Amino acid sequence: KKKLKISGRELVSVPMQVFGLDQLQVLEMSPERESCLRYRMELLPQEISHLRNLTCLYVDSNNLKKIPAEIGTLSHLERLTLSNNSLSSLPPEMGALQRLHSLHLANNSLTELPAPLCQLRSLTFLDVSDNKIDTIPSSIRHLEKLETLLLLFNSLESLPEDVCLLRNLCTLWLGNNHLRSLPASFGELVNLDWGYNYCSCNFEGNPLESPPPEVCSRGPEEIRDYFLSFRRT
């Protein structure tokens, strides 16, 4: 068996028999999004390390408070979803997941962008929306393959200049933060589809100037048009 979905309103733990499925590639322990359910699992067991062939692990909408260090042994893991839990930190061992390209951390209790994320060189999708993040470390520049970064509903007052080194960014959502300005080289993020694909960028709910002078002095003209139209709405 290579794919397993475990469901149940009263799900509080992983059945130990699961860890004997050493060929398992996809393990899902999340309720359906449409159901509005939340499972009650608080701990991901250390035995998760037995599932060395896992490529996808879905544990959204539980009550996880901690991720074990053993998560770092899942060297084939490509997708990990941990949204809607109670996580306040991540283990440094997560930096060993060098095949991981999609990580969902929305709606947890993180207060900063965890350092292990900056070691994940293959990461292309990172969602840390709706946490309590108020700062992003300059080491984010190491995520050179990052294409999607979702930071909505946090407490960011500024972005480090190093964000502008993420030249592969196609989607950047920064809505509902406390940003008053953007880095001077922000306009160099040329893969953001300014003015053509609204879904590629989001700034609503920030007290930004209209248009931000430090942005419009560089990059495509669509940046100025975007902020003027954004301010009017």
Side-chain angles (χ1 to χ4, degrees):
K1 198 175 185 68
K2 294 188 177 181
K3 182 175 182 179
L4 177 64
K5 178 177 175 63
I6 302 175
S7 60
R9 185 183 296 269
E10 300 301 318
L11 182 65
V12 296
S13 63
V14 188
M16 295 306 291
Q17 300 94 314
V18 170
F19 302 118
L21 303 174
D22 55 3
Q23 297 303 309
L24 198 63
Q25 294 179 356
V26 179
L27 177 57
E28 184 172 353
M29 295 179 288
S30 302
E32 300 294 337
R33 289 187 178 183
E34 297 78 9
S35 70
C36 297
L37 286 176
R38 191 168 185 134
Y39 293 164
R40 295 164 46 196
M41 186 164 52
E42 295 187 1
L43 179 66
L44 195 61
Q46 296 176 344
E47 287 80 4
I48 194 71
S49 62
H50 297 172
L51 304 179
R52 296 295 178 92
N53 289 299
L54 270 189
T55 59
C56 300
L57 177 59
Y58 302 93
V59 278
D60 294 304
S61 299
N62 278 275
N63 195 27
L64 293 175
K65 295 179 170 60
K66 185 179 180 181
I67 301 299
E70 287 75 10
I71 195 78
T73 65
L74 302 180
S75 58
H76 294 283
L77 203 61
E78 298 176 358
R79 185 177 178 86
L80 176 59
T81 67
L82 296 166
S83 297
N84 303 317
N85 279 287
S86 302
L87 298 170
S88 58
S89 64
L90 297 176
E93 289 79 5
M94 277 189 62
L97 301 177
Q98 291 304 308
R99 294 192 185 184
L100 194 68
H101 60 71
S102 182
L103 177 59
H104 297 225
L105 292 165
N107 194 23
N108 275 281
S109 300
L110 300 171
T111 56
E112 60 182 357
L113 202 60
L117 302 188
C118 299
Q119 303 171 35
L120 302 175
R121 302 300 177 89
S122 294
L123 205 61
T124 61
F125 184 103
L126 176 58
D127 182 2
V128 286
S129 304
D130 203 6
N131 280 280
K132 301 175 183 177
I133 293 173
D134 57 12
T135 183
I136 301 175
S138 61
S139 53
I140 195 173
R141 67 182 181 276
H142 296 310
L143 301 178
E144 62 265 9
K145 293 185 179 180
L146 198 62
E147 296 177 359
T148 300
L149 177 58
L150 307 185
L151 288 160
L152 294 89
F153 294 97
N154 279 292
S155 302
L156 292 170
E157 295 185 356
S158 63
L159 294 178
E161 192 75 29
D162 294 65
V163 167
C164 303
L165 298 176
L166 302 177
R167 299 299 169 80
N168 287 311
L169 268 185
C170 297
T171 302
L172 177 61
W173 287 5
L174 292 164
N176 294 90
N177 279 279
H178 307 305
L179 296 171
R180 294 186 176 277
S181 63
L182 296 171
S185 4
F186 197 85
E188 295 178 7
L189 295 175
V190 294
N191 284 319
L192 291 178
D193 194 8
W194 295 99
Y196 296 103
N197 180 3
Y198 176 76
C199 293
S200 72
C201 40
N202 172 288
F203 294 92
E204 279 82 350
N206 286 285
L208 287 168
E209 294 184 45
S210 171
E214 70 276 26
V215 175
C216 296
S217 61
R218 302 190 183 192
E221 295 180 0
E222 290 85 6
I223 295 180
R224 181 182 296 272
D225 296 338
Y226 171 84
F227 277 103
L228 287 173
S229 63
F230 149 62
R231 202 63 176 180
R232 284 196 296 270
T233 57

